[in-house]
Amino acid sequence: METYPRPRLEPNYRLPEEELLKPGHMACPGCGASLAMRLALKALGKNTIVVIPACCWSIIAGPFPYSSLDVPLYHTAFETAGSLSSGIAAALKVLGREDVTVMAWAGDGGTFDIGLQALSGAAERNDNFIYVCYDNEAYMNTGIQRSSATPWLAWTTTTPADKPKEEPKKDIIAIMAAHRIPYVATATVGYPDDLEMKFRKAKAIKGTRFIHIFSPCPPGWRTESKDSIKLARLAVQSKVFPLLEVEHGERWRITVWPEKFVPVREYLKLQGRFRHLTDEQIEIIQRNVDQAWEKLLKLAGENVRESSPCA
Ligand SMILES: Cc1ncc(C[n+]2csc(CCOP(=O)(O)OP(=O)(O)O)c2C)c(N)n1
Ligand code: SF4
């Protein structure tokens, strides 16, 4: 059997001290999406313009003229994060201000579903911005409706437990990698050093960069606020959400090789949205996760893990 070296630990890792997400924001306790923004801005710094379509983050940021972000913020229509970001990037180019980072920040509904056309157009042109999808796996802001990012068999208010979601989660990473943009990555708040490293790396690249952040949502997942970080780590340890990078659609790399792997049941059992699952269904999910992981190992080839900041 093939073996892999243990991850390189960085026990002295420290987040940058600058706080660009201010206290008093309006996220629920344990919101992964708010912590993700805090970490992303720490990596990108103050010279950043944030574009937010309709989503939970439209609320979290606060009502005009207030803002919990200490950087310029555009609120935009649900489907327009990609097109507005393209426009801002073009304007900055005309002004000779390419030192400013433009970051679109959208939910999974705004990315996997309604915003995909604008995102795909921008990516095909390789427009110069970072597009972030914080993925809480449903339309949370409007009452937990299913999106194409909702996992197979999950409960939502439009896929009740006696008729849970029948379709698998859309593979957004494969879609974005197929655009052959310079940088595609996954990240999660459970591995903050890996997340921050990816934002720093993305900042240094020109063109369209896409970062998919797994973001626990206590009200939508029927979980306890205190478990959000644990869930984010279990998602990686169970192989449900591998942490990876894809450069130019070709070079796949796994960035975090967890110190321990856990059965998918450990991840599912903390969440009320999966409470109705039978043992047989959990076994099928386990098989699906294992198959996806094997496929990823083949794509990554030699680049299974060149450096891993955490375990
Ligand atoms: C064209 C349009 N359709 C519907 C809405 C209503 N709406 C606002 S936010 C939202 C859900 C957003 O879901 P997602 O992008 O997953 O972000 P989350 O709320 O989960 O943070 C919807 C349906 C809208 N603003 N515009
Ligand atoms: S509903 Fe979920 S994503 Fe929205 S603010 Fe609350 S925890 Fe965050």
Side-chain angles (χ1 to χ4, degrees):
M1 196 183 119
E2 203 171 357
T3 57
Y4 299 94
R6 285 171 65 83
R8 179 167 51 83
L9 298 172
E10 290 185 8
N12 296 323
Y13 169 76
R14 292 279 179 275
L15 286 171
E17 286 194 0
E18 190 175 28
E19 292 289 357
L20 296 171
L21 172 60
K22 297 297 177 191
H25 65 71
M26 298 175 77
C28 312
C31 173
S34 58
L35 182 52
M37 176 70 89
R38 176 173 175 240
L39 297 169
L41 287 179
K42 277 178 178 288
L44 297 181
K46 202 150 175 119
N47 238 3
T48 304
I49 295 174
V50 178
V51 173
I52 298 184
C55 59
C56 272
W57 247 102
S58 322
I59 310 302
I60 298 170
F64 181 83
Y66 304 106
S67 170
S68 55
L69 298 184
D70 207 4
V71 292
L73 162 63
Y74 280 83
H75 287 282
T76 189
F78 197 15
E79 64 277 28
T80 60
S83 46
L84 179 63
S85 301
S86 290
I88 296 172
L92 289 169
K93 187 173 180 191
V94 170
L95 294 170
R97 289 298 313 273
E98 288 175 76
D99 55 312
V100 178
T101 303
V102 180
M103 176 171 74
W105 187 272
D108 48 286
T111 304
F112 287 60
D113 295 340
I114 194 169
L116 191 59
Q117 178 197 20
L119 170 60
S120 176
E124 191 270 333
R125 296 185 299 272
N126 200 22
D127 288 344
N128 190 26
F129 63 89
I130 301 176
Y131 188 108
V132 178
C133 172
Y134 70 90
D135 184 3
N136 51 29
E137 303 194 315
Y139 291 29
M140 295 307 179
N141 183 43
T142 41
I144 324 174
Q145 295 89 8
R146 61 88 87 184
S147 76
S148 56
T150 303
W152 182 57
L153 296 183
W155 165 91
T156 66
T157 55
T158 50
T159 53
D162 59 353
K163 202 176 179 315
K165 192 184 179 218
E166 291 176 0
E167 302 78 18
K169 185 180 176 102
K170 192 186 276 183
D171 189 349
I172 196 75
I173 290 298
I175 291 170
M176 295 314 296
H179 286 74
R180 298 185 292 265
I181 53 178
Y183 191 65
V184 171
T186 61
T188 182
V189 292
Y191 292 84
D193 41 4
D194 177 75
L195 186 151
E196 197 221 327
M197 177 272 288
K198 285 168 175 164
F199 274 87
R200 275 192 275 122
K201 187 167 178 178
K203 183 182 175 182
I205 297 170
K206 294 275 179 235
T208 310
R209 295 137 279 167
F210 179 82
I211 301 183
H212 179 200
I213 305 184
F214 181 83
S215 302
C217 169
W221 294 8
R222 299 297 193 244
T223 53
E224 292 196 44
S225 307
K226 69 172 176 55
D227 286 338
S228 289
I229 299 299
K230 187 175 178 184
L231 278 162
R233 292 182 74 85
L234 283 172
V236 177
Q237 291 166 355
S238 62
K239 306 171 191 164
V240 166
F241 193 84
L243 295 177
L244 55 84
E245 294 176 331
V246 193
E247 289 173 10
H248 300 284
E250 283 179 356
R251 192 161 183 272
W252 291 68
R253 190 165 88 90
I254 297 172
T255 60
V256 171
W257 190 267
E259 177 128 295
K260 59 168 183 176
F261 287 103
V262 298
V264 78
R265 183 184 293 274
E266 297 298 306
Y267 165 70
L268 299 172
K269 75 179 183 191
L270 292 178
Q271 306 179 57
R273 65 178 175 152
F274 295 120
R275 194 167 292 139
H276 54 279
L277 295 189
T278 63
D279 285 346
E280 197 185 2
Q281 288 170 327
I282 293 174
E283 271 172 36
I284 297 173
I285 293 173
Q286 182 69 63
R287 278 205 296 279
N288 291 344
V289 163
D290 289 342
Q291 275 171 12
W293 178 257
E294 288 304 317
K295 191 173 157 194
L296 175 61
L297 289 184
K298 286 197 183 100
L299 284 167
E302 293 296 300
N303 306 315
V304 163
R305 188 191 51 75
E306 285 171 359
S307 69
S308 180
C310 36

